[in-house]
Amino acid sequence: MNLKTKELVDRWRIKCASARFSQWGNWYASVKEYPSALLDSFGYALFESQADLMDCPGVKVTKQINIPEGISSLNRYVKCEADLPEELVGDDLLKEGARVSVFVNRFERNPKARAECLKIYGYRCQICRWSGSDAFIDGADRLIQVHHVIQLSDIGIEYIVDPRRDLIPVCPNCHSYIHLFNPPLPVEEARKRLKDRANTPLGTSAAEKLNAPNTGVAHL
């Protein structure tokens, strides 16, 4: 176990006999000791035995461990860190909003809610239409984030999230932009500002992205 892997195992308090780290969560070295944790930059999946690993849907084991859709696509994936507080996740159904104390007050999130949202809208930003696959390979679509239209900091209680009504995929740039405002800028207003920008002499790039194909646009 290298230093970075050990640091994450200790930080996330993973109880395992071995661990492997992959930045994008696609390829891992073989595992001999169990329980074993496979980590990416934001979380991990734990396997109790070799049979558990071999039988896991989405995992291909040869000389290496290959997870084509990334470790975060697995149902057992536990997300531990994120760029923005609202990207933190928890577990169990689609309940959202239970406060936890880390270093600041944060909210639990369920990866099932994210997965359902992306199944509905796809991996393209619903503000600027950017997608990781436009510029990168190797699972870069996973860079897309999910914005919660209703701010749970305003609710402070658990509720059942509707992935179509309450969630929307946005790229890291647009996500950071709308959170510059308090309360966060509404998605429709962000779209309007981007379109207005696209009509200026310096807005050519924005205009091209707005014309990119999309699997579906969220109407809020």
Side-chain angles (χ1 to χ4, degrees):
M1 189 183 303
N2 62 36
L3 185 61
K4 180 175 179 61
T5 305
K6 186 177 186 307
E7 177 186 344
L8 292 177
V9 167
D10 292 342
R11 184 194 306 172
W12 298 338
R13 299 180 180 179
I14 306 172
K15 295 181 180 180
C16 60
S18 65
R20 300 286 186 268
F21 173 80
S22 168
Q23 182 176 0
W24 293 107
N26 295 107
W27 290 95
Y28 295 89
S30 61
V31 172
K32 296 182 179 179
E33 296 180 275
Y34 294 88
S36 182
L38 302 183
L39 294 73
D40 64 10
S41 298
F42 305 104
Y44 68 94
L46 190 66
F47 299 89
E48 296 296 334
S49 65
Q50 184 176 16
D52 188 25
L53 177 65
M54 298 281 289
D55 294 340
C56 181
V59 177
K60 299 179 181 179
V61 180
T62 53
K63 291 183 178 180
Q64 291 182 308
I65 301 169
N66 178 22
I67 307 175
E69 298 299 322
I71 194 75
S72 64
S73 67
L74 304 182
N75 288 336
R76 67 181 69 198
Y77 181 76
V78 178
K79 191 169 184 181
C80 301
E81 302 212 6
D83 295 333
L84 292 171
E86 83 162 35
E87 282 289 297
L88 287 167
V89 302
D91 55 13
D92 187 31
L93 301 178
L94 298 184
K95 289 185 179 180
E96 306 239 349
R99 281 182 198 260
V100 295
S101 294
V102 186
F103 297 102
V104 295
N105 282 332
R106 293 177 175 177
F107 290 94
E108 291 182 349
R109 287 293 185 276
N110 192 311
K112 293 181 182 178
R114 170 185 166 88
E116 286 299 317
C117 173
L118 296 177
K119 185 184 296 185
I120 294 169
Y121 296 114
Y123 286 73
R124 188 172 292 279
C125 177
Q126 299 294 292
I127 295 176
C128 74
R129 311 287 289 278
W130 178 90
S131 171
S133 62
D134 292 342
F136 305 103
I137 56 175
D138 299 332
D141 279 346
R142 292 175 50 223
L143 293 173
I144 200 71
Q145 297 178 353
V146 170
H147 172 63
H148 289 67
V149 178
I150 301 176
Q151 294 304 297
L152 296 187
S153 56
D154 296 332
I155 299 175
I157 58 175
E158 284 197 354
Y159 79 109
I160 304 299
V161 64
D162 181 334
R164 184 181 297 276
R165 179 195 63 201
D166 299 334
L167 308 178
I168 184 170
V170 290
C171 70
N173 282 346
C174 288
H175 205 181
S176 296
Y177 176 70
I178 60 182
H179 277 278
L180 288 176
F181 304 86
N182 189 18
L185 191 71
V187 170
E188 289 294 347
E189 176 61 22
R191 287 180 186 150
K192 179 180 182 300
R193 294 188 183 191
L194 183 60
K195 289 180 180 179
D196 290 343
R197 175 66 170 169
N199 292 328
T200 68
L202 297 178
T204 304
S205 177
E208 291 174 349
K209 287 188 176 182
L210 286 172
N211 291 324
N214 195 12
T215 57
V217 175
H219 299 283
L220 305 175

